[in-house]
Structures are given as C-alpha cells and as structure tokens.
Amino acid sequence: MSPPAKAQTRRFGNKVRDAGLAYLFLLPALIIFGVFAYYPLYRLFWYATHTQSRFRNKPASYVGLEQLKASLTSNDFISGLTHSGLYMLYTVPLGLLLGVMLAVSTHRRLKGIKIFQTIFSSTVASSVAVASVVFITLVNPEIGYFKNVPWLSLRDPTSALFAVSLSSVWQNLGLTFIVVLAALQTVPDELIEAATLDGYGAVRRFWRITVPLISPALLFLGIVLVVSALQAFAQIEILTGGGPSGATETLLFKIADPRGIRPLGVRASYSLGLFVLTAIVAGAQYSIMSKRVHYGD
Amino acid sequence: MATDPTDSAANEQIRLNQTAEKIVDPLVPAPYDNDKAVQPPRSGLRNAVATTTTYLVLTALSVIVLFPIYMLLLRALSSPLKYISAGQPLYPVSIEWDVFNRAFGQASLGRSMGLSFVVTFVIVIAQVLTSVLAAYAFAFLEFPLKKLAFVLVIGTLLLPIEVTLIANVEIIRKLHLLNSVPGLTFPFLVTAIGIFLIRQGFLGIPRDLRDASELDGYGHLRFLFKVAMPMSKAIIGSFIVIAFLGAWNQYVWPRFATDRGAWQTVQVALRTIGSENPGELNLGFAAAIVASLPLLALLIFFQRQIVRGLTAGAVKG
C-alpha cells in the first residue's frame, strides 16, 4: 500500500486520470447523441440536397439547394406552417388560462381540496394517444357526443383543427395545473395580506403581485406548450388523419407523412424548417431563462 | 361578486378580508363595538357563502375535466351498437364487462402492453445510467474540451426526435433494427434533460463533503455511489418518474420505427384497436383505459416526484 497522502492526490487530483474517466463517463452519451441526433441532422441536409428515385436501389442525384428552396416556399409547406401556427394559437393561451384558473381555485385551505387537486392533475396520466382516443368519444363525426356541434365538427375544414386542439388543451391541463399550483405555493402569504391591508382588491392583487411572481412558471409553460404544439402528430393522425382535405395537416404530419405521398428530399427539407423553428423557440427559452437569472440576482 | 362562480379571486378576497379584519379588530375603537356584536354571525354567513361558492366552482371545473374521462368509461363499457341506437345517452347501455378480456384476447393488448413495459424500462434504466455518469463528469471532473462537450449535450435539445424522425427511421432501417426493441429504444438511451437535471443535483453537493470523502480515501467511483447519488436521491427519483412518463407516452417514434402490428407499443396500437369493426369500437376505448393505468398508478404513488419532476424546469430553469 502506498502512503495515504500520495494515494489521495492520485485518486482525485490526477489530471490525466480524471480526464480519462470523464471521457469514459461521457462516452455512451456522446455515441448515442452522435449517431441519433447529429448524424441524422447531417443526413437531413443530405436528403434535402438530393432527389431520391422512387426505387430504393437507384442512386440519388445531387441538386444543391434547389429542392430545399422549392420545398420551403411551397404552398404545402406554408399550409403546414399555418396549421401548426393555428394549433399553437388554439392551445397555448387557452391552456395557460385554464391551468391558472384551476390552480388559483384550488390554492386555498379548504376541506377536501386535495380531492380537487388530484382531479385537476389527473390528465397528466393521459398520453397524446390516449387523449386522442378520449376525444373520439366527443368529436368523432359518427360517434362523438358533440358530433352535431358545428364549431367542433371534424368534417368542416374551418373547425376541425380547433376541435382537435381541444384534446391537447385537455391533455395538458394536468401539467399546467401542477406547475402553476407549485408556483402559487411559493408566493408568500404575507405579501398577499400586506397588499390587502394596503387596499388592493382581489383583481389588482392578482395582476400586480401573483402574476409577476409566477411569471417564470408561466413562461416555462408557454414554451412547453408551444413546443408540444409544434410537435402535434398523434392527435391529428388518430382524430382526422390530416383531413378534411388536408385542413389539419400540421408541419410534423407532413414530415412524417403516414400515407407516403411526399418524396424523402421534400420531407427532409420540411424537417430542416422544423429544426429552425425549434431553434427559435429554444433561443427564446434561453434568453428568457438568462434574463430571469439576472432578475433573480 | 362572490356569487359569480367563475370569479374565484373574489372568494380569495373575502377570505383575506376576514383575515385582515381579525388583524385590525383589536385596534378598532369603541364606536365599532356595535358592529362587532353583529359581525360574528354575518361573517359566519359570508364565510359559508364563500365556501359554498368555492365548492360550486371547484365542482363545475371538476365536471369539465372529468367529463371526457367519463365518456371514455361509458363508451368502453357500453355495447357500441346498442349505445348508438339508444341515441348516445349519458348513461351506459347494455354493459359488456368482458370488454377488457376481449381487448386482451382479440386485440392482443397484452402483447403491446408488455412491449411498452420492456421499451419503457430499457429507456428509463439506460437514461438514468448514462445521465448519472455524464452528469458526474460535468459536475466533478476537469477535462479538455469540457465546454464543447457540454454544448454538444445541450445542443441536442434542438434535435428532438420529431426533427430527426425521417433520418433516424432510415438509419434504423439500414441497421436492420425496424421492428425490434433496440430499434425502439436506441435513440432514447441518453437525454440532455437527464444529464442537466442530475448535474444540477450534483452541483448542489457541498465541496466540504467531497474534500471529506477524499480524506477518507474515497475514489471517484466510491464517491459517486456512496455520496453523490444518495445525496441526489430526490432529483434522480423525480427524473426517473418523468423519464417513465415520457417513454411510456411516446407515439411518433414507435409509430415509424415499426411497420408490423406485432411490434406496436400500446400507444401506437390505440390507433387501430377496434377501429375496423363498428361493433368492436369499445375495445379501443377499453384499451385506452388500460394504457393509462400504469401512469395512474405512478400519479397516485409518486405524486411528489411527478410534481418535482414536472416543475424542475420551471423552478431551476
């Protein structure tokens, strides 16, 4: 056995050994990320700059940025973008509003409040697919309970996307409720009481004190909801299959293209479009987060 | 105002006003004594009205949240054709209790549930292992290109499976892994969020503790397993729960990494179960109930971890 003092410096201080250990620890992560995140990004560029023959054994031909440009300016892409944007518009504000409503109404000491809190967080247990099947019972044009309500009709191109989006609003309620309630619980009671003594009414108290204090949670939720709207797919496939006449084909639906009508190069170009949108959202998230850290100091 | 069922803030105000009155009361001069005599019953009544209103609002909101779930139960249990010919009422029609048995038998719900469990366990276990190791490297070790490695990890947040979907499907196809557990799990064995969360937990461990374990002759591995991991139990627990949630609920990847029914996870199978025959629609609804049971159990037994896991992003940033 070597002297203890030496052993210690070898165990923790040895730079070469530490670096070796670090890379060993990082190896699985870097391999998986390399193969299934970064290499696919390169492949997307490759597919976007090549046109593929319908027959897999024929070689693809290089077309430069032509295909990418044509795809990202096509009506098909623009309509996918529009539908994804509308989906966001339908799900994000309504989702936040309902989440806050549910959380505020259960944020009090009251007998049995736990039961209500459990009910309101219950939709956390439903996946997108389950929520979609649930909404078949409500909005399916043949068997849905609300099949005769015009503004929930899946047969009408003007209402179909909204009807589908309600399944997301419902499914996300559990998450928004849980996050907002947790945020409300960090608002000190004394602050609310002090404001009451200062003559602040309930509405003013809510907007001037509660909302600013829970705004980080609301921003976080806003971003989560925007991202999940951008990635809407299962609810579309299960509830409408993209119809009627393409009115619910979101960007990801066109990329995934379950009926296989678009060439790989076009779908790769769309994927790069989605990548840019994801980057913009993530950038917004990052700048908001760093601003918040600043604010906290 | 207090009777408006949508304005729960009004109830809040009443409650707070009463608190305020209690605080102010001792300071109120004699002239108010008359009022005081009248007040207790009145404030009791106001209290009762406020409480009742709150309960009414809460019940109304509960009905809205639970109605879709009720409809799912109703449709799962009712005989599909008889329910429709009865005019789709709000109560079950000729209940078929064996619908769950039939979903497992006819629709092979058992197989897809089993596959979902296998896929979920593989993903969760792998994610915890890879995240803990990577997080340890970032939190406790110095090495060249550390910043770059961290940027590469965080960068994958821009590359969710939805973005890389079609390229990944081609990769899995080339590796001949379509319709296999490796194909269903490989892209998810690591997650930047896990690395990030657990690193955050590790960074919260006081330096003194590391120095102390160094003095005790602990190496990195012993420090990781005996000190760092036990001390980050809460954060790792929350991560496990949200990783389970995410893996179980996956739809897009298993949908396109498989092209045979036998390899459908339960979420993907939900799309088709019972959809071919109008007389068997209830099988699909029953399957949706079964598919949510594991998460319901999670929600009941690990509520605290779920809340912590879901809010981690909101609080920690």
Side-chain angles (χ1 to χ4, degrees):
Chain A
M1 276 264 174
S2 49
K6 253 192 172 175
Q8 281 156 28
T9 51
R10 254 188 223 148
R11 275 190 174 118
F12 265 76
N14 190 318
K15 272 190 180 158
V16 179
R17 247 184 69 177
D18 273 17
L21 192 67
Y23 281 118
L24 193 68
F25 279 5
L26 283 174
L27 199 62
L30 293 179
I31 289 176
I32 297 286
F33 282 152
V35 178
F36 297 106
Y38 288 104
Y39 177 63
L41 181 62
Y42 161 75
R43 290 304 290 172
L44 287 179
F45 273 109
W46 195 90
Y47 290 133
T49 49
H50 288 74
T51 49
Q52 208 106 24
S53 155
R54 281 215 163 267
F55 307 98
R56 284 195 183 280
N57 48 1
K58 279 203 177 166
S61 52
Y62 180 74
V63 291
L65 296 177
E66 231 170 81
Q67 179 174 235
L68 185 66
K69 246 191 244 164
S71 303
L72 294 184
T73 51
S74 68
N75 286 336
D76 189 46
F77 179 75
I78 304 290
S79 90
L81 212 58
T82 311
H83 295 149
S84 291
L86 281 174
Y87 206 82
M88 244 177 248
L89 212 64
Y90 294 152
T91 53
V92 181
L94 187 61
L96 282 179
L97 190 77
L98 288 175
V100 170
M101 246 176 78
L102 293 181
V104 166
S105 62
T106 56
H107 179 53
R108 59 195 70 221
R109 275 175 218 98
L110 209 61
K111 227 183 194 173
I113 202 73
K114 275 259 170 237
I115 298 169
F116 292 106
Q117 289 176 352
T118 307
I119 291 174
F120 295 163
S121 46
S122 65
T123 69
V124 158
S126 74
S127 65
V128 184
V130 167
S132 309
V133 173
V134 166
F135 268 68
I136 288 179
T137 70
L138 300 176
V139 296
N140 180 281
E142 271 131 38
I143 63 156
Y145 188 73
F146 298 117
K147 62 179 173 183
N148 293 326
V149 179
W151 51 279
L152 289 177
S153 169
L154 290 184
R155 284 223 174 96
D156 183 348
T158 56
S159 62
L161 194 65
F162 177 72
V164 174
S165 78
L166 287 182
S167 74
S168 294
V169 171
W170 179 76
Q171 192 226 337
N172 289 328
L173 272 185
L175 171 77
T176 38
F177 167 75
I178 287 173
V179 172
V180 176
L181 185 64
L184 283 176
Q185 283 163 351
T186 64
V187 177
D189 281 350
E190 303 85 58
L191 216 59
I192 301 285
E193 273 163 27
T196 314
L197 288 177
D198 281 351
Y200 273 47
V203 176
R204 205 145 64 113
R205 230 164 33 221
F206 180 73
W207 286 107
R208 292 286 183 79
I209 295 165
T210 309
V211 169
L213 283 171
I214 65 168
S215 65
L218 295 181
L219 282 174
F220 164 79
L221 280 174
I223 285 160
V224 169
L225 294 181
V226 164
V227 169
S228 75
L230 261 185
Q231 300 175 343
F233 175 77
Q235 52 280 61
I236 316 279
E237 188 178 37
I238 293 174
L239 284 169
T240 66
S245 52
T248 55
E249 284 192 354
T250 54
L251 198 48
L252 183 59
F253 190 88
K254 289 174 191 280
I255 290 171
D257 201 23
R259 264 165 285 138
I261 30 181
R262 294 170 186 86
L264 195 58
V266 171
R267 294 159 60 205
S269 305
Y270 290 3
S271 298
L272 291 173
L274 182 63
F275 169 63
V276 171
L277 288 178
T278 310
I280 292 171
V281 176
Q285 180 174 22
Y286 181 78
S287 70
I288 287 164
M289 299 275 194
S290 44
K291 220 182 261 168
R292 206 173 75 216
V293 173
H294 220 70
Y295 192 71
D297 291 340
Chain B
M1 207 163 135
T3 49
D4 180 0
T6 55
D7 191 359
S8 46
N11 303 325
E12 185 80 25
Q13 186 186 23
I14 287 167
R15 192 172 66 85
L16 288 169
N17 279 347
Q18 281 158 0
T19 326
E21 272 164 23
K22 266 181 224 147
I23 298 166
V24 177
D25 265 354
L27 304 173
V28 173
Y32 283 98
D33 269 2
N34 263 346
D35 276 354
K36 250 184 170 177
V38 187
Q39 214 142 34
R42 203 178 78 189
S43 97
L45 183 67
R46 269 167 70 184
N47 218 342
V49 170
T51 310
T52 313
T53 315
T54 309
Y55 279 126
L56 283 177
V57 172
L58 289 170
T59 309
L61 290 171
S62 302
V63 168
I64 295 172
V65 172
L66 291 178
F67 181 71
I69 298 175
Y70 174 73
M71 287 308 283
L72 183 72
L73 284 168
L74 185 70
R75 301 300 298 251
L77 291 175
S78 301
S79 153
L81 299 177
K82 283 179 192 153
Y83 179 81
I84 289 170
S85 56
Q88 314 216 40
L90 279 173
Y91 48 85
V93 176
S94 77
I95 294 182
E96 295 179 353
W97 289 110
D98 66 335
V99 63
F100 293 100
N101 284 333
R102 280 167 50 220
F104 275 95
Q106 274 166 256
S108 61
L109 181 58
R111 189 190 153 92
S112 49
M113 283 291 281
L115 182 64
S116 276
F117 271 115
V118 170
V119 166
T120 302
F121 281 126
V122 170
I123 290 178
V124 172
I125 291 167
Q127 282 189 351
V128 171
L129 277 174
T130 56
S131 299
V132 163
L133 291 179
Y136 189 86
F138 285 124
F140 295 116
L141 296 172
E142 288 310 320
F143 55 95
L145 302 177
K146 186 174 177 177
K147 278 227 168 95
L148 176 69
F150 197 65
V151 169
L152 282 176
V153 168
I154 296 303
T156 62
L157 291 175
L158 304 184
L159 298 166
I161 195 68
E162 287 79 6
V163 167
T164 56
L165 177 71
I166 58 173
N168 266 321
V169 170
E170 294 305 315
I171 289 169
I172 291 292
R173 190 200 308 278
K174 273 193 194 123
L175 295 173
H176 300 288
L177 291 176
L178 287 181
N179 305 309
S180 73
V181 171
L184 285 167
T185 54
F186 272 7
F188 302 97
L189 300 183
V190 187
T191 157
I193 291 172
I195 296 174
F196 209 65
L197 270 180
I198 296 173
R199 170 180 162 271
Q200 209 99 17
F202 284 170
L203 288 177
I205 295 171
R207 254 209 116 71
D208 296 353
L209 215 62
R210 226 189 102 185
D211 296 341
S213 10
E214 199 176 340
L215 281 176
D216 282 345
Y218 275 34
H220 282 297
L221 281 181
R222 229 172 6 140
F223 177 69
L224 169 59
F225 289 111
K226 291 269 162 86
V227 182
M229 278 180 73
M231 283 201 70
S232 314
K233 240 187 344 203
I235 228 163
I236 294 174
S238 308
F239 172 65
I240 289 175
V241 174
I242 55 165
F244 190 99
L245 216 73
W248 182 265
N249 284 345
Q250 273 200 53
Y251 183 88
V252 177
W253 179 249
R255 167 76 175 81
F256 294 100
T258 60
D259 52 18
R260 266 182 247 146
W263 284 95
Q264 284 181 342
T265 60
V266 70
Q267 306 292 338
V268 178
L270 285 182
R271 183 173 72 96
T272 44
I273 292 178
S275 65
E276 275 131 47
N277 184 347
E280 285 175 352
L281 272 171
N282 53 345
L283 295 187
F285 300 130
I289 294 170
V290 174
S292 344
L293 291 182
L295 294 191
L296 211 57
L298 212 65
L299 187 66
I300 292 167
F301 295 114
F302 298 100
Q303 202 164 19
R304 205 155 16 108
Q305 281 79 1
I306 288 189
V307 172
R308 223 192 286 115
L310 292 180
T311 53
V315 181
K316 300 246 167 167

